[in-house]
Amino acid sequence: MAAAERGAARPTGDNRTSRRRRRRREHCLRTSGLAPQALPGQSTRARAHVGPRLRGESPSVGMGEFKVHRVRFFNYIPSGIRCVAYNNQSNRLAVSRTDGTVEIYNLSANYFQEKVGCEDGSVKLFQITPDKIQFERNFDRQKSRILSLCWHPSGTHVAAGSIDYISVFDVKSGSAVHKMLVDRQYMGVSKRKCIIWGVAFLSDGTVISVDSAGKVQFWDSATGTLVKNHLIANADVQSIAVSDQEDSFVVGTAEGTVFHFQLVSVTSNSSEKQWVRTKPFQHHTHDVRAVAHSPTALISGGTDTHLVIRPLMEKVEVKNYDAALRKITFPHRRLISCSKKRQLLLFQFTHHLELWRLGSTVATGKNGDTLPLSRNADHLLHLKTKGPENIICSCISPCGSWIAYSTTSRFFLYRLNYEHDNISLQRVSKMPAFLRSALQILFSEDSTKLFVASNQGSLHVIRLLEGSFKHLHTFQPQSGTVESMCLLAVSPDGNWLASSGTSAGVHVYNIKHLKLHCTVPSYNFPVTALAIAPNTNNLVIAHSDQQVFEYSIPDKQYTEWSRTIQKQGFHYLWLQRDTPITHISFHPKRPMHILLHDAYMFCIIDKSLPLPNDKTLLYNPLPPTKESDVIRRRTAHAFKISKIYKPLLFMDLLDERTLVAVERPLDDIIAQLPPPIKKKKFGT
C-alpha cells in the first residue's frame, strides 16, 4: 500500500485489522443472468451479510452467464444532516451536512439532487448584490452564543435564540428591543441551562421557540411575554420550520420524532384559532437536527444521515406516486470509478481517496455458487487531501495509470507506476490556472485524454503524456447559459463527448475536430446518467422522472427504439421508482443490451425483445425454467431486473463475463453511528 500527500500515513495496527476484515467482504458469485423477483406482497429484501454468504439467483432467458464480484469494503458513511432550508419560489431544498457539503434538491424533478453562523455572540448583517456579499453591520453583542436566527416576514426584526433567552433585534438600529428569558425547568427539575435550538418569527409578531428542555413555546414579541407552552419530549427539541401560510409548523426532537402542529378553529363556528399538536412521526433513529416545510410535505434530517420527505396527504391533490414517503440516504452521483484493465476500484471519501485491487478466483461452479478467492482484494493506496476542503469529484483512468481529483479550489493529477506488488505515485505539477476546480472528470477509453468540466461552465480537453500533459482545447459555455456541466460521457472510440448540466440540456462535441456537433432536444427533467454505446455511437440518457432516451449522435435524432418506447410508455412500476439511475453501460458483445442501475436495482434492457405493458409483471417476467426455451422466449420482455444487490452504489462490466457490484448495507452504516437516545418503554 502506498501513501501520498502530506499527512497521509500508512495504516496503523487498527487500520490493518480493518483491512483484513474488509478483505473478507468481497466474494465471487457465479450467476446466470438476472433472477425473477418476488411477486407482489412477497419480500425481496436481502439480508446484510457479514461474511461471504450469498443467496443464489435463478437463471433467466437470453442473459448469458456472469461472474460477479460482490464488494462490500467501501466504508462510506454519509455525513449527518445539520440544517435544511426550503425555497417555495424555485421548489428547491438546500441541505447542509456535518462535513460542510451543501446539496440542492429539485423537488419538482422527482426530488433529484442537482448539485452536492457566528460563535462570538453576535449577529452580523450582510448585503447581497449580484457582484458580491458585503458586510453591513453587527447587531448588539450578546453575552452568550447565538444558536438560532429567524427573520420577521417584513424584514424589520430578527429573533435570535441563545442560552437561557431569546432576543428580538430591530434591523434598522441593530439594537435588541426585547430579551425573553426561558424557563429552565425540565420535567419538574431545574436544569443548569436551557439552549434555544430554533426560533420562528410569524407575521403577527409571534415567536415560536424550541429548546433543550423539550418545550415548544409561543412568545409575544411586542411585549416580550410567554403566551403558551407545550412540553412535547423527554429530550431536546432541536429544529423548527413553518409553512408559508403560517397555518402549520413542524419540529424535530433528539429522540428521532417529528411533531406536526396545526392552527385550527377552537370550535366549528368560531373564528378563534389555536395551535394544536396533531401528528407525531417516527422515521428517524437519531436526533432530528433539521426540518423544512413545503406546501405538500414535511422534510426532516439529522444524525442518522437520512433525508425524509413525508407528504401531507390532505395537501396532495392526486393520491399517486407523489404521496409516497421518501427516504434519501445516498448521493445521486457516483463516488466510485473503475479501471477495468487492472481491475481496480477508486473510492471517493470527503477528504481522501482509496484505491483497491479486486480479488480473483480460478474456481468454477454452477449458478448461484460462491466461489473462493485465490487472491484477496488488496488496499493499494490511501491518498489524502491537503487542507480542509472537500473532494468534489475524482476518477481513475481505464488503464489504471492516472488518478485525477478536484477540491473546491484545487485540481490534482497523478501518474501511477506498478512494479510487481509495489505501486509508486508521481504528482503532475504546475497545473494551469484554468484547472483550479472541477465538477466532473473523465478519462477517454484509451486513457490518452482527460476531460475536465469546470465550475465556470467550460469544458477542457487535455492530452496525457508520460508524466505530463498538453492542453488541447476548451469548449466554452453555450450562448445564454452559465450552467456548469455535471455529467460527462465519452464514446469508446474517443470521437464524441457528451456533457449535461442540471437544466441546459445535453451537448455533444466532436473531439476529432474540436467543435460542437449537436444539442439533444431539451427535456423538462434533469439528466441523472448518460453513456455512449460502442459501434453505434448511440447516446443513452436517463432523466430524474425515470424516462430513458436513446439518441443517435451520427444521425442527430432519436433512434427508432427510443421513439417506440416513448410512444408505448414505460411500465408504471418502472416510473414509480424513487431513486434515480446513476450509471449506464453496455455489453461489448451484445449491442442490443443496455445495462443500468439505481441504488436498489440492476437492470439489463434487451432492445430485441418486446416492451412490457402495464398488465405485464415487470419484476417476474419469466415462467418456471423447466419450460421450453420457445415458451420462455415468447413470454419474455425487454426488462430484466435484479434487486439482489442493494444498496447499490456502483455496478459495471469488467469484461463480457464479469460484473462488479459495490454495495453499502444500511446496517453497516447504522452500526458506526453514535448510539441513539434510549426511550423508556411502558412497564420498564
Side-chain angles (χ1 to χ4, degrees):
M1 173 179 171
E5 294 291 281
R6 294 178 183 175
R10 289 181 177 273
T12 62
D14 289 341
N15 285 338
R16 285 194 294 267
T17 301
S18 177
R19 276 178 54 192
R20 288 194 296 268
R21 181 166 60 249
R22 282 190 279 172
R23 278 177 178 172
R24 294 196 297 268
R25 304 204 65 180
E26 178 197 357
H27 51 274
C28 284
L29 159 74
R30 191 172 182 85
T31 177
S32 177
L34 302 175
Q37 297 301 305
L39 292 168
Q42 294 179 321
S43 173
T44 60
R45 180 180 175 89
R47 290 179 292 173
H49 305 305
V50 177
R53 294 175 56 242
L54 180 65
R55 203 163 49 185
E57 296 188 76
S58 303
S60 62
V61 62
M63 299 305 298
E65 193 170 58
F66 292 110
K67 182 171 64 178
V68 181
H69 290 266
R70 195 173 189 183
V71 174
R72 290 188 171 183
F73 49 71
F74 181 25
N75 194 29
Y76 171 72
I77 304 292
S79 296
I81 295 174
R82 177 168 289 162
C83 56
V84 297
Y86 171 74
N87 182 274
N88 190 39
Q89 292 179 335
S90 64
N91 199 26
R92 281 173 169 81
L93 183 76
V95 177
S96 172
R97 294 189 179 267
T98 55
D99 63 356
T101 58
V102 176
E103 302 163 351
I104 306 296
Y105 291 85
N106 187 340
L107 274 58
S108 299
N110 208 9
Y111 296 83
F112 177 60
Q113 184 189 106
E114 285 186 334
K115 307 193 174 177
V116 269
C118 306
E119 291 286 356
D120 61 356
S122 67
V123 176
K124 302 181 187 295
L125 185 65
F126 293 84
Q127 183 70 32
I128 301 176
T129 67
D131 300 325
K132 58 184 176 180
I133 299 177
Q134 181 176 334
F135 172 76
E136 194 165 288
R137 76 164 67 93
N138 273 327
F139 288 179
D140 288 351
R141 187 183 179 96
Q142 306 300 299
K143 292 182 180 180
S144 62
R145 298 163 58 192
I146 301 293
L147 298 169
S148 52
L149 287 171
C150 187
W151 285 86
H152 186 273
S154 67
T156 59
H157 292 81
V158 169
S162 301
I163 298 175
D164 292 335
Y165 64 88
I166 302 165
S167 301
V168 177
F169 294 95
D170 180 272
V171 173
K172 188 174 182 180
S173 67
S175 301
V177 296
H178 283 296
K179 182 179 287 187
M180 300 172 286
L181 296 177
V182 298
D183 188 1
R184 294 185 179 183
Q185 289 288 321
Y186 173 73
M187 302 294 290
V189 179
S190 180
K191 296 188 69 176
R192 185 172 59 181
K193 58 184 178 181
C194 183
I195 302 172
I196 311 302
W197 289 119
V199 289
F201 216 152
L202 304 186
S203 300
D204 63 1
T206 300
V207 174
I208 309 174
S209 65
V210 297
D211 58 43
S212 60
K215 301 189 300 292
V216 176
Q217 295 185 313
F218 297 81
W219 306 83
D220 186 337
S221 65
T223 61
T225 57
L226 179 66
V227 177
K228 196 169 185 180
N229 177 63
H230 287 267
L231 180 63
I232 65 168
N234 296 327
D236 297 36
V237 185
Q238 297 183 314
S239 50
I240 181 172
V242 182
S243 68
D244 283 348
Q245 291 75 27
E246 298 185 351
D247 58 355
S248 73
F249 68 89
V250 58
V251 299
T253 75
E255 297 173 321
T257 308
V258 172
F259 291 99
H260 187 206
F261 284 76
Q262 290 180 286
L263 191 61
V264 299
S265 299
V266 176
T267 62
S268 58
N269 298 324
S270 173
S271 60
E272 183 183 356
K273 294 185 176 182
Q274 64 180 0
W275 287 104
V276 176
R277 187 180 71 188
T278 56
K279 301 169 186 173
F281 307 114
Q282 188 77 42
H283 301 304
H284 295 274
T285 58
H286 292 66
D287 306 45
V288 180
R289 295 184 175 179
V291 290
H293 198 316
S294 80
T296 59
L298 306 180
I299 303 165
S300 57
T303 305
D304 65 4
T305 78
H306 300 307
L307 181 66
V308 176
I309 299 100
R310 190 193 190 284
L312 295 170
M313 299 306 296
E314 65 273 17
K315 300 288 187 178
V316 179
E317 295 182 2
V318 181
K319 301 302 185 288
N320 57 10
Y321 178 56
D322 291 332
L325 176 76
R326 295 168 184 255
K327 186 176 285 189
I328 301 172
T329 305
F330 299 102
H332 295 169
R333 59 189 176 91
R334 291 175 56 190
L335 300 174
I336 302 166
S337 57
C338 177
S339 166
K340 298 181 180 181
K341 180 179 179 181
R342 290 188 177 270
Q343 302 216 332
L344 304 175
L345 293 177
L346 182 69
F347 297 147
Q348 177 183 318
F349 297 85
T350 303
H351 293 113
H352 76 276
L353 303 174
E354 289 183 4
L355 183 64
W356 287 77
R357 179 171 56 205
L358 291 170
S360 61
T361 182
V362 295
T364 58
K366 62 181 183 300
N367 173 45
D369 284 352
T370 298
L371 307 179
L373 294 176
S374 56
R375 188 193 69 199
N376 287 325
D378 197 15
H379 189 181
L380 300 177
L381 178 70
H382 182 103
L383 185 58
K384 188 176 180 180
T385 62
K386 292 181 179 179
E389 292 187 339
N390 293 355
I391 297 176
I392 303 300
C393 56
S394 61
C395 193
I396 186 170
S397 63
C399 70
S401 297
W402 297 91
I403 287 178
Y405 76 90
S406 178
T407 66
T408 53
S409 66
R410 299 187 68 186
F411 183 86
F412 298 88
L413 180 63
Y414 291 89
R415 174 77 174 180
L416 281 73
N417 297 301
Y418 302 87
E419 294 182 7
H420 304 294
D421 289 335
N422 298 321
I423 180 173
S424 61
L425 201 65
Q426 175 190 354
R427 180 179 168 184
V428 178
S429 59
K430 299 181 180 179
M431 301 302 294
F434 61 79
L435 282 181
R436 284 184 178 176
S437 181
L439 287 182
Q440 192 63 261
I441 306 169
L442 184 66
F443 290 91
S444 61
E445 194 74 17
D446 61 4
S447 301
T448 62
K449 292 184 181 68
L450 174 64
F451 307 102
V452 181
S454 76
N455 57 7
Q456 303 299 319
S458 55
L459 186 55
H460 307 293
V461 182
I462 308 295
R463 182 183 296 280
L464 299 173
L465 307 172
E466 188 68 29
S468 63
F469 67 93
K470 179 182 179 181
H471 176 229
L472 293 181
H473 188 72
T474 294
F475 295 107
Q476 297 298 338
Q478 298 303 304
S479 176
T481 66
V482 293
E483 186 178 44
S484 302
M485 296 295 105
C486 301
L487 292 172
L488 299 176
V490 63
S491 61
D493 59 17
N495 292 332
W496 307 103
L497 177 69
S499 66
S500 172
T502 54
S503 61
V506 178
H507 305 295
V508 180
Y509 300 93
N510 187 318
I511 300 303
K512 185 178 294 185
H513 297 100
L514 296 174
K515 66 177 183 179
L516 178 67
H517 174 69
C518 64
T519 298
V520 179
S522 60
Y523 187 66
N524 292 333
F525 290 82
V527 177
T528 65
L530 71 168
I532 302 175
N535 303 319
T536 62
N537 282 322
N538 287 338
L539 173 64
V540 178
I541 308 169
H543 292 269
S544 65
D545 64 345
Q546 310 300 356
Q547 295 288 338
V548 178
F549 297 88
E550 186 182 53
Y551 185 84
S552 171
I553 293 177
D555 297 337
K556 299 183 182 181
Q557 63 180 1
Y558 289 113
T559 65
E560 189 61 33
W561 179 83
S562 186
R563 296 178 189 276
T564 299
I565 202 169
Q566 289 303 313
K567 183 178 180 180
Q568 176 175 325
F570 284 88
H571 196 285
Y572 75 98
L573 291 177
W574 176 269
L575 298 176
Q576 287 183 358
R577 293 169 22 256
D578 60 0
T579 55
I581 294 168
T582 55
H583 184 58
I584 301 171
S585 59
F586 307 93
H587 196 289
K589 296 295 180 65
R590 300 189 180 112
M592 299 302 289
H593 287 186
I594 302 173
L595 289 70
L596 43 80
H597 76 82
D598 62 21
Y600 295 97
M601 70 92 200
F602 170 64
C603 177
I604 297 180
I605 301 177
D606 187 344
K607 297 188 296 180
S608 67
L609 293 178
L611 299 171
N613 57 45
D614 285 351
K615 296 181 180 179
T616 306
L617 288 175
L618 180 65
Y619 296 125
N620 193 18
L622 303 176
T625 57
K626 292 182 180 179
E627 296 190 21
S628 69
D629 288 341
V630 174
I631 298 177
R632 293 174 64 209
R633 170 67 65 175
R634 187 182 304 154
T635 57
H637 62 63
F639 286 68
K640 305 299 182 296
I641 298 173
S642 171
K643 292 189 175 182
I644 279 288
Y645 311 101
K646 58 184 179 181
L648 188 58
L649 300 190
F650 178 80
M651 195 166 200
D652 201 0
L653 278 170
L654 294 175
D655 55 49
E656 59 184 275
R657 294 288 187 180
T658 310
L659 282 166
V660 58
V662 181
E663 301 169 276
R664 188 62 177 135
L666 293 176
D667 289 347
D668 288 1
I669 295 175
I670 294 172
Q672 298 187 53
L673 296 177
I677 292 178
K678 292 184 178 180
K679 295 183 180 180
K680 184 176 178 62
K681 296 182 179 180
F682 179 76
T684 61

